[in-house]
Amino acid sequence: MASTSAPPSSRLYRRPTAARPHVGVRFGHGVASGDPLTDRVVLWTRVTTDQLSVPVGWVIARDEALTDVVARGTAIAHADDDHTVHVDAGGLEPGTTYYYRFTRGASFSPIGRTKTLPDGGERVRFAFCSCAKYNAGFFNAYARIAEHEQLDFLLHLGDYIYEASNTPPKSQTPGADIGRPFEPLEECRTLADYRRRYAQYRRDPDVQRLHQQLPMIATLDDHELADGAWAGGSTEHNVAEHGPWAERRDAALRARWEWLPARPPEPWDRTRVFRDVRLGGLADIMLLDIRSRRDEPARDPEMSEPGRTMLGAEQRDWLLRGLDASDSAWRIVVSPSVFTRTWCESPAQPLHTALAKLKLIDEDDEGPDHDQWDGYPAERAALTGHLRERGIEDVVFLSADIHVSVAAEVVDEASGRPVAVELTAPSLTSQNLDEKLGVAPRDPAILRSEEAYVAAHDHVGWCEMASHGYVVIDIDADRIRSEWWHVDTVLERTGGVSLAAAFETPRGARQLRRVS
Ligand SMILES: [Fe+2]
């Protein structure tokens, strides 16, 4: 396990280019790109202005000096969109790096770097991550992702923002004492609140560095909406006090579409987030929305009722059809909630306390964490049964949300056979076990909890409960490799990062093999 204070590839990292002096407008939230396809990518910026609308020039080129121009044009930053700008720049070549910039009069944005998706390439490499809680830590992991070697894009599994109050209710962990309070201080409930929260995140230098360097493909988890969100509400949403849930959800989604460099998959339905991304015959990525369409979490016996859904009928049908039709080498299902079982009956100490702190045991100790797929067992069994019955091979689940690193095999419980593997990313900053217990990261209680978790779950190959970071996925036609990269700390802005573990799954194997 090599620890290094140098980034994985400082050679490739370029310092953010400072904006030049400006007249009238500023690009204070940087630039971003996202939802790349083989021939296009969304370019994003925001203008800080008092004017109702401002025309903004944009340019995309093959070189960083912006001399080999591919396309240019003008877009409008309007108050209706919170002065955010989205340009869907087309006419690009597959698997190609581009540079872009926005201008207004004498004002220039920083120069961003982006890349289109490959079309029939031999190898794809991307990072995935989740759970960026602003008041819990510095986004060192974003900075390390920005400088990681040869990534094609970042896949974000949600909790890109936390809507939480700086003084949260008991069900949520308070932030760290590091001078990073949320803006606004209160929980976000209105469009203005969510916009302010996104703006705070996008002023962060490491968030800006990430977006300036890599295109992002994102789904969402609950905190883009509200804690514990489901189709008809959330844990902390009180209709009598806060108004109709649909209004709050729509406000949260509107701010999200404004502030992310994203292309809505159905422009006429802004509640649709789930979509697929094709990597040129190498992999089909299916991004799930496991929040806005799910039934309300429930305990048994209701939890085990056959009709209960995490996905909703429309998304489930889309997923099954996509899995059946996929003829790529790999099928990657992106589920922010953990798909495999995290529950274990009557765990001994210290695992019992660890699972309770990580919310993998229901807080009243009455059963599984009903927030994950453990809480939707019938639909999970239907999905694993579908993979088994149809003989669908080479399926990989990517998940997050529980704030710890896990490598596991996905077992179809009806047959007892593995049908896929699952790779779970730690949080970027949200508190994990050491912070929730108030102990050192490698405290004996942590080590014993990790050992006991693996021992209690035959399908789990490895777990680490006390680090923050991200996972790098490297795909070719023969194998998928996963690397867990952990940062040294989130309590100060530092550059240390280390490779915690790496696994490979050969085509046709449905198994994890630990590699050096
Ligand atoms: Fe989270």
Side-chain angles (χ1 to χ4, degrees), residues 232-310:
S234 87
T235 316
E236 302 296 331
H237 186 81
N238 177 338
V239 174
E241 198 181 335
H242 307 133
W245 167 250
E247 283 182 17
R248 179 172 178 184
R249 178 203 62 196
D250 290 351
L253 288 173
R254 177 171 169 179
R256 180 180 180 273
W257 289 121
E258 288 170 350
W259 279 84
L260 290 198
R263 182 188 303 107
E266 286 187 8
W268 56 91
D269 179 7
R270 295 299 174 108
T271 68
R272 176 162 168 175
V273 175
F274 67 89
R275 64 198 186 281
D276 55 16
V277 177
R278 291 181 62 84
L279 301 180
L282 197 56
D284 293 329
I285 302 179
M286 294 153 210
L287 280 95
L288 303 184
D289 163 6
I290 48 77
R291 284 293 168 185
S292 77
R293 294 163 188 253
R294 68 160 72 180
D295 289 333
E296 186 172 13
R299 297 197 180 109
D300 262 335
E302 189 186 341
M303 186 179 91
S304 298
E305 285 175 4
R308 278 175 45 76
T309 182
M310 174 82 103

Side-chain angles (χ1 to χ4, degrees), residues 130-131 159 162 221-223 401 403 430:
S130 87
C131 296
D159 289 355
Y162 275 65
D221 201 359
D222 55 339
H223 289 289
D401 190 39
H403 304 169
S430 290

Side-chain angles (χ1 to χ4, degrees), residues 22 41 60 125 168 258 284 325 340-341 367 429:
H22 53 81
V41 63
I60 184 165
R125 217 166 127 87
E258 288 170 350
D284 293 329
T340 50
R341 186 166 49 84
T429 57

Side-chain angles (χ1 to χ4, degrees), residues 304-374:
S304 298
E305 285 175 4
R308 278 175 45 76
T309 182
M310 174 82 103
L311 301 176
E314 183 192 4
Q315 182 175 206
R316 186 174 58 249
D317 291 349
W318 162 86
L319 174 62
L320 296 180
R321 279 201 312 275
L323 288 166
D324 290 346
S326 170
D327 56 3
S328 292
W330 299 92
R331 280 139 290 287
I332 299 176
V333 181
V334 179
S335 167
S337 288
V338 173
F339 191 72
T340 50
R341 186 166 49 84
T342 62
W343 162 247
C344 58
E345 190 101 42
S346 310
Q349 291 296 6
L351 184 59
H352 186 280
T353 299
L355 295 178
K357 287 282 181 191
L358 293 170
K359 297 188 183 174
L360 297 179
I361 291 177
D362 178 87
E363 59 189 318
D364 296 323
D365 212 0
E366 291 185 32
D369 172 16
H370 48 220
D371 219 28
Q372 310 301 321
W373 279 91
D374 275 354

